[in-house]
Amino acid sequence: MARKLIIDGKEIEADDNISLLQACELAGAEIPRFCYHERLSVAGNCRMCLVEWVGAPKPQASCALQVKDIFPNKDGTPARINTNTPLVKKAREGVMEFLLINHPLDCPICDQGGECDLQDQAMAYGRAAFHRFKENKRAVEDKYMGPLIKTIMTRCIQCTRCVRFATEVAGVPELGATGRGEDMEITTYLEQAFSSELSGNVVDLCPVGALTSRPYAFNARPWELRKTQSVDVMDAQGANIRVDSRGLDVLRVLPRTNEAVNEEWISDKTRHAVDGLRRQRLDRPYIRRDGKLQPASWADAFAEIAARVKASKPERMAAIVGDLAAAEEIKALKDLMASLGVVNLDCRQDGAQLQPEPRQSYLFNTTIAGVEAADALLLIGCNPRWEAPVLNARIRKTWLHGNLQIANIGEPYDLTYPVTQLGGSVSALQDLVAGKGEFASVLRNAQRPMLVLGSGALARRDGATILKLAAQLAGSTGMIGPAGAAAEGGWNGFNVLHTAASRVAAMDLGFLPGAGGRDMAGILAGAGTGEIDFVYLLGADEFDMAYLGNAFVVYQGTHGDAGAHRADVILPGAAYTEKDGIYLNFEGRLQYGNRATFPPGDAKEDWAILRALSEVVGKTLPYDDRGALRKAILADAPHFANANMVAAHGGADPAIWDAIGREGQIDSATPLSSTIHDFYLTNPIARASAVMAECSRLFVNPSKAMAAE
């Protein structure tokens, strides 16, 4: 229902359920605010958003009033709202003066300087001529909030954005306020670290510099930084980010708003693992001689690889794609291996039992935004809080504002929302497929049920059978509906939650075993027995290198991680901030990463390395630039032309789902558990980060940390 208002002389029609502040902005008025935030509950603390409601005895806080609260005049004419009258100006100046009573004059040394809401609004609404308060400013002791958040609490204006974020979005109610009036202070529970994977977002929310980034403290001013729009690769969600760099160094990563993917949140790993980009980097080729890695030239490294390739046979060669690879280098490596006749390929280094067809069988089909429409959710072998923290916040949001019932099969985790634990083994899933249990009827009766299948279920020997059971459950409970059914465009509640940013692109490009080829387990088994004697690792570090036996290993990557330690030849590549690249997130959304800095030393872009290598081995790839390479990608997978789009719903045919997975023996004795055991140390960049190491020490292994101290 809509209601007419006259705002600054302009008549508009606004929805009853929006705030008066939003209605004013629809009319083109600028409303200052500190405590109000679109994604948080209304607090009405700061009073900066005062407006004049003609006829009301005093100015009104526009954030705390909804349009439906604004009744018409006695004569039936629409209510008049003024935002720029002398009365409003005087009221806002008074509020600003009040907020600045105790705020220190330390803008020159504040990390928020240049990006500070208080600074900006003080220029517009501050009283430069005089102020009425002569008392000494109060001082507040700084609080400890962990290794990521620096506090200067004297600057705090008690807007409580951080408190509301912690409670409502992060689901970790560890921030709160003590005292009243002038004695009010924001603090953590028992002054412990703020233990959320999303804690860094409070720095973005703080409007006054009371909370700033501890790792970034005193590093740079915003106007010194080059800002590059890109996408995150720390998990498979593909959060939209802005990379701020100076020279060759990435100094910080900030979120970009994308309602369909990450709203305006990013995880702490996305934000703070950037110091790992300049530590333990591979900046030149290496060749192992006499058991030791020694620096070499590109020509020598390529010659060594070419000699090994010519000495081996295609059936004795293999290639594995790591978790952070972009589509360009995946395509280049696939084409190079195909030209050599190699069919032992795999992108599933965790051993996930996924199949190339149908495409819906390895996607998050509900979409990230679609989660908000669900009314029943089943988690199978996953921990979304660690595997995709921003997705977990979206699930919590749906539970908080809707009627979402959630159940879990697998190891129980604290997911920040209530979950019904159905059991730890696959037998609980079998019971649901058979229609047993209370939650089976919940799924059947739900309008939009969904399940999330994690790598903890798929990366098992019986992973393909679990995939089959999940598809059967989706078919029997109405998770897959025709177009125009429960949701607009249809509903598909079958979802796979990947943890690797490269996985969907690699699956789409067919980086999988060819006819008679070995998968990940087969490659490792063959390397152990000597049947595989050449293995090419494209940033693959997430498995036990001891399984490679005596095979000749080429490692192309960015850091001195597990793969580099095992390698016989190292080719230094570019990190995600150092190259343009195509990434597909777990819902199949294509997004572009952009280069913010250049690779260090002699390191090169990964696809260019493979192109140069192909020439040396006598199998020159048919593209000389990125444009030609992307055209080759489009020829293999035409949907790569659809940037920032998710494939249309097409899963209503039961035959599609009957073909997913395979029948087999179930291991009921082994419980389902997530493949991620330490959120902060999941990839080479994060493991090279001193900040992530400190977070791991505090939040994942606190007992070890206390024992060491």
Side-chain angles (χ1 to χ4, degrees):
M1 192 174 172
R3 182 168 299 191
K4 289 183 178 180
L5 298 172
I6 298 175
I7 299 175
D8 294 338
K10 180 180 178 181
E11 185 174 309
I12 69 160
E13 200 168 281
D15 189 275
D16 270 355
N17 295 314
I18 68 171
S19 66
L20 179 57
L21 186 152
Q22 291 170 309
C24 291
E25 290 187 333
L26 286 175
E30 181 181 336
I31 308 295
R33 83 290 300 268
F34 291 114
C35 70
Y36 177 79
H37 193 276
E38 288 82 355
R39 303 187 198 277
L40 304 175
S41 61
V42 175
N45 292 339
C46 73
R47 321 306 287 182
M48 198 66 208
C49 63
L50 292 174
V51 298
E52 179 189 6
W53 179 3
V54 178
K58 60 182 180 179
Q60 304 292 308
S62 58
C63 71
L65 283 174
Q66 288 184 297
V67 170
K68 62 185 176 186
D69 300 324
I70 310 297
F71 47 82
N73 298 320
K74 289 182 178 179
D75 58 1
T77 57
R80 301 183 69 88
I81 308 294
N82 295 322
T83 69
N84 54 10
T85 58
L87 174 68
V88 174
K89 185 176 183 292
K90 185 180 178 182
R92 290 176 181 172
E93 286 176 349
V95 170
M96 178 59 68
E97 186 179 13
F98 180 73
L99 292 175
L100 292 175
I101 288 174
N102 290 310
H103 194 83
L105 300 175
D106 59 355
C107 295
I109 63 160
C110 178
D111 270 325
Q112 198 90 328
E115 299 173 322
C116 179
D117 291 346
L118 184 65
Q119 201 174 46
D120 295 341
Q121 293 182 38
M123 292 295 293
Y125 302 101
R127 286 181 172 172
F130 74 99
H131 60 90
R132 293 169 288 178
F133 298 92
K134 305 295 182 183
E135 294 82 4
N136 292 330
K137 294 180 181 285
R138 73 164 187 169
V140 181
E141 185 179 347
D142 293 342
K143 306 298 189 296
Y144 174 70
M145 291 191 183
L148 304 179
I149 303 170
K150 181 182 179 182
T151 63
I152 307 91
M153 301 311 293
T154 302
R155 299 172 185 163
C156 181
I157 63 169
Q158 289 87 43
C159 70
T160 68
R161 279 187 179 184
C162 56
V163 176
R164 285 174 283 151
F165 173 85
T167 304
E168 297 163 14
V169 180
V172 182
E174 295 176 355
L175 292 182
T178 61
R180 297 187 66 180
E182 192 179 30
D183 296 324
M184 183 176 174
E185 296 182 16
I186 304 296
T187 185
T188 59
Y189 181 67
L190 297 180
E191 297 205 9
Q192 293 181 343
F194 182 17
S195 60
S196 169
E197 297 76 20
L198 301 169
S199 66
N201 291 288
V202 299
V203 173
D204 296 335
L205 288 172
C206 182
V208 297
L211 305 178
T212 58
S213 172
R214 186 180 292 275
Y216 177 70
F218 307 126
N219 274 350
R221 289 297 194 183
W223 54 85
E224 302 172 357
L225 304 176
R226 184 172 60 251
K227 302 168 179 63
T228 308
Q229 296 187 355
S230 191
V231 292
D232 173 49
V233 299
M234 293 293 125
D235 56 39
Q237 185 162 347
N240 288 215
I241 59 174
R242 193 188 85 194
V243 180
D244 287 1
S245 58
R246 183 177 62 193
L248 293 177
D249 291 333
V250 174
L251 296 184
R252 65 177 181 176
V253 167
L254 298 177
R256 286 189 295 125
T257 301
N258 187 329
E259 299 293 344
V261 181
N262 60 302
E263 297 182 296
E264 62 184 79
W265 317 125
I266 55 173
S267 74
D268 288 348
K269 185 166 51 179
T270 300
R271 187 185 297 270
H272 290 297
V274 292
D275 66 313
L277 291 167
R278 49 184 187 268
R279 291 188 170 92
Q280 301 179 21
R281 287 301 300 270
L282 301 172
D283 60 358
R284 68 188 69 179
Y286 289 86
I287 299 176
R288 189 176 298 275
R289 296 190 177 103
D290 301 324
K292 294 184 178 180
L293 287 167
Q294 299 179 10
S297 66
W298 280 103
D300 289 345
F302 285 165
E304 184 77 11
I305 297 169
R308 292 286 182 163
V309 168
K310 289 172 184 175
S312 186
K313 297 179 180 178
E315 62 272 15
R316 298 177 64 85
M317 300 167 64
I320 301 169
V321 163
D323 291 352
L324 307 184
E328 287 88 344
E329 53 258 34
I330 296 171
K331 168 66 175 171
L333 182 58
K334 179 175 180 285
D335 287 352
L336 177 59
M337 291 295 127
S339 67
L340 295 170
V342 179
V343 293
N344 303 317
L345 311 174
D346 211 341
C347 61
R348 304 161 297 181
Q349 60 172 332
D350 57 1
Q353 302 292 303
L354 294 165
Q355 58 189 55
E357 293 292 338
R359 189 168 185 251
Q360 296 98 324
S361 68
Y362 59 84
L363 292 182
F364 199 93
N365 296 287
T366 300
T367 72
I368 298 166
V371 169
E372 297 186 26
D375 52 1
L377 168 61
L378 175 66
L379 304 172
I380 307 170
C382 64
N383 177 7
R385 182 172 176 180
W386 276 8
E387 295 173 21
V390 179
L391 172 69
N392 195 65
R394 184 90 69 154
I395 295 173
R396 173 176 168 80
K397 174 185 176 183
T398 307
W399 165 78
L400 198 62
H401 297 130
N403 189 30
L404 181 64
Q405 298 185 70
I406 309 168
N408 178 55
I409 298 176
E411 187 178 344
Y413 300 102
D414 178 11
L415 299 177
T416 72
Y417 42 80
V419 176
T420 303
Q421 190 65 27
L422 301 182
S425 69
V426 187
S427 56
L429 179 58
Q430 290 176 306
D431 289 343
L432 284 178
V433 173
K436 301 177 182 177
E438 186 178 338
F439 202 77
S441 34
V442 170
L443 290 174
R444 284 195 303 270
N445 296 328
Q447 286 191 316
R448 291 175 290 276
M450 60 178 289
L451 63 83
V452 177
L453 193 60
S455 53
L458 295 168
R460 297 164 38 118
R461 291 186 177 181
D462 58 353
T465 309
I466 296 174
L467 182 64
K468 182 77 172 177
L469 287 171
Q472 289 175 349
L473 181 64
S476 64
T477 55
M479 287 187 188
I480 304 145
E488 199 173 326
W491 178 258
N492 191 335
F494 183 89
N495 303 293
V496 173
L497 180 58
H498 297 292
T499 57
S502 64
R503 185 66 49 81
V504 172
M507 294 286 292
D508 283 354
L509 293 171
F511 203 96
L512 296 164
R518 296 172 180 261
D519 62 3
M520 186 70 189
I523 292 170
L524 297 183
T529 60
E531 295 172 352
I532 298 290
D533 58 16
F534 180 98
V535 181
Y536 200 108
L537 302 180
L538 182 58
D541 296 274
E542 312 305 324
F543 63 94
D544 188 351
M545 298 294 162
Y547 287 116
L548 292 176
N550 296 319
F552 183 86
V553 177
V554 178
Y555 178 78
Q556 180 179 331
T558 58
H559 286 73
D561 209 79
H565 282 272
R566 172 59 185 83
D568 296 289
V569 176
I570 294 175
L571 304 177
Y576 74 105
T577 57
E578 300 160 2
K579 62 187 176 186
D580 296 331
I582 295 172
Y583 300 92
L584 272 69
N585 71 351
F586 52 58
E587 58 181 352
R589 185 184 304 273
L590 185 144
Q591 301 182 114
Y592 291 99
N594 295 308
R595 184 178 65 200
T597 62
F598 290 90
D602 292 334
K604 310 290 183 186
E605 289 195 40
D606 292 276
W607 78 266
I609 295 172
L610 291 160
R611 169 62 178 79
L613 177 60
S614 71
E615 195 167 341
V616 177
V617 299
K619 302 289 185 181
T620 305
L621 295 175
Y623 26 78
D624 298 327
D625 55 49
R626 185 179 291 103
L629 174 55
R630 287 182 172 175
K631 285 181 181 178
I633 292 174
L634 285 177
D636 282 2
H639 63 272
F640 272 66
N642 304 322
N644 204 33
M645 292 175 60
V646 179
H649 173 71
D653 186 358
I656 294 175
W657 303 94
D658 291 342
I660 292 177
R662 64 171 182 263
E663 302 285 351
Q665 194 68 31
I666 287 292
D667 179 7
S668 298
T670 306
L672 294 168
S673 63
S674 173
T675 55
I676 292 182
H677 307 294
D678 189 333
F679 167 73
Y680 299 99
L681 305 175
T682 56
N683 60 63
I685 299 174
R687 287 191 286 270
S689 166
V691 177
M692 293 295 97
E694 178 67 8
C695 289
S696 174
R697 187 182 72 88
L698 283 176
F699 301 129
V700 181
N701 299 303
S703 58
K704 292 183 181 179
M706 291 175 66
E709 291 169 359

